[in-house]
Each structure stands twice: as C-alpha cells, then as structure tokens.
Amino acid sequence: METGIRLIRLTEERIIGFKEEMQEAFDSGFKGHIKDDSENQWQVLPDKDFYQALQSDSAEAYEATDADGQRVGGAIITVDNAKGELAFLYVKSGVQSKGIGQSIWRTIEAMHPEVEVWETCTPYFDRRNIHFYINCCGFHAIEFFNAHHRDPNMPEQFDPSDGLFVFEKRMK
C-alpha cells in the first residue's frame, strides 16, 4: 500500500511538537491496558528516554509527512554499521491503520541497506505493536524480559512485572 509518506530529518526547532505527538500516540495506545487511568503515574514515553534516544552519536530522527506536508508520524533509530536499533516509531493519533507505520518502516530499511540486523522492543500488553512488528514488518520475538528474566541494561528504568518483548529482524 503506497501512502505517499516522506521521511525528513527532524530539526531542533520541531523536536518539541514531535515529542508531544509521539507521547500522545503512545499514551493512546496505552489506554485500555489499565483499569483506572487516574491512578496511572507511569509516563508511557518518559522524557528521559526520548532525549536519551536522540543523544547517541549515531541517532537519526525522522518525521514522516504526508503529501500535504503534515506530520503523520516519525521514528528515531540508531545505526552502527551492520546493526540497527529502532528506538521509537509512531503514527500520529487519528491516522493509524492506513499503512503509515509500514511505509515509515520500509523507508527506513531502504535508507539503510547496510544494516543486517534490526532490533526493537515493546511492552507485553501492546498487542497492536506486537502485531505490527511481527506480522507487518517481519520481526521475530527473541526475548521476553519480566520479573523472572530481567533486562540487565535497564535495571532502574523498567518495572519487570510489566514485561517487555525484544524483537529482531535479520535482513541478510
């Protein structure tokens, strides 16, 4: 499905709006996974994680725009030779299920033919993301971090009772 999406490098002056839209998209995906939203003190996309993803020397941030030049999503990736990490990918709230996410991902893959292995992760409860990464993008679940199998790289950031899938996509 061709969506007419273009990826444009994110500029410093557009970071705040990009971050806010990404947080809104992640928050809307999180709704329905908790019983009482008023009790939720957890920020789905903490500011610290967002800015940390941007600070890597190999970080690339892209906003996805439609044919009218309106931002409809975006992604933050890192590429280190043959290894790539998809830190975040989002589609703006209200325009999901139109092939935008797949178009963003296919464009990223095309921009980086040198990457042999891509990695990303998503919380266990986000069935939409799990479906997207496995069924639409070709990733495979390779690990599941939880209370019995903790992620040694994120001991303080992640509540292990929440569960986190790690996905990998081998390109070659």
Side-chain angles (χ1 to χ4, degrees):
M1 172 188 318
E2 182 54 46
T3 60
I5 299 301
R6 288 182 15 167
L7 291 187
I8 302 167
R9 276 283 189 155
L10 183 65
T11 61
E12 187 77 30
E13 58 272 359
R14 294 185 51 93
I15 285 177
I16 298 301
F18 179 87
K19 179 176 75 72
E20 289 170 355
E21 285 181 359
M22 185 181 287
Q23 284 175 317
E24 182 182 323
F26 282 26
D27 287 348
S28 71
F30 183 67
K31 289 185 188 336
H33 297 291
I34 53 173
K35 292 183 173 111
D36 183 359
D37 197 26
S38 65
E39 294 180 16
N40 177 32
Q41 300 301 313
W42 183 55
Q43 187 178 17
V44 178
L45 175 58
D47 291 346
K48 177 179 85 169
D49 292 353
F50 175 83
Y51 288 112
Q52 184 177 5
L54 289 174
Q55 289 177 354
S56 166
D57 288 338
S58 58
E60 299 174 23
Y62 297 96
E63 52 186 333
T65 60
D66 65 13
D68 296 327
Q70 298 299 307
R71 184 170 45 224
V72 292
I76 301 174
I77 64 171
T78 58
V79 175
D80 185 13
N81 297 314
K83 183 171 184 192
E85 179 187 354
L86 173 60
F88 300 108
L89 186 150
Y90 85 99
V91 175
K92 187 176 175 179
S93 292
V95 295
Q96 295 95 345
S97 301
K98 296 181 179 178
I100 294 169
Q102 289 180 50
S103 182
I104 291 170
W105 180 246
R106 281 193 307 269
T107 303
I108 289 169
E109 284 182 340
M111 290 168 59
H112 290 285
E114 77 279 15
V115 173
E116 296 176 15
V117 179
W118 285 98
E119 190 173 288
T120 194
C121 59
T122 198
Y124 84 96
F125 59 78
D126 200 331
R127 291 180 184 155
R128 185 181 182 105
N129 277 2
I130 294 166
H131 162 75
F132 174 74
Y133 290 123
I134 292 175
N135 298 324
C136 299
C137 297
F139 281 82
H140 299 277
I142 60 166
E143 198 156 17
F144 179 60
F145 292 118
N146 57 68
H148 304 289
H149 180 69
R150 295 175 184 261
D151 181 351
N153 299 315
M154 294 194 319
E156 77 290 342
Q157 288 182 308
F158 182 70
D159 181 351
S161 66
D162 287 333
L164 184 73
F165 282 103
V166 178
F167 296 105
E168 178 181 271
K169 181 172 184 181
R170 294 199 170 271
M171 304 300 289
K172 299 181 182 196

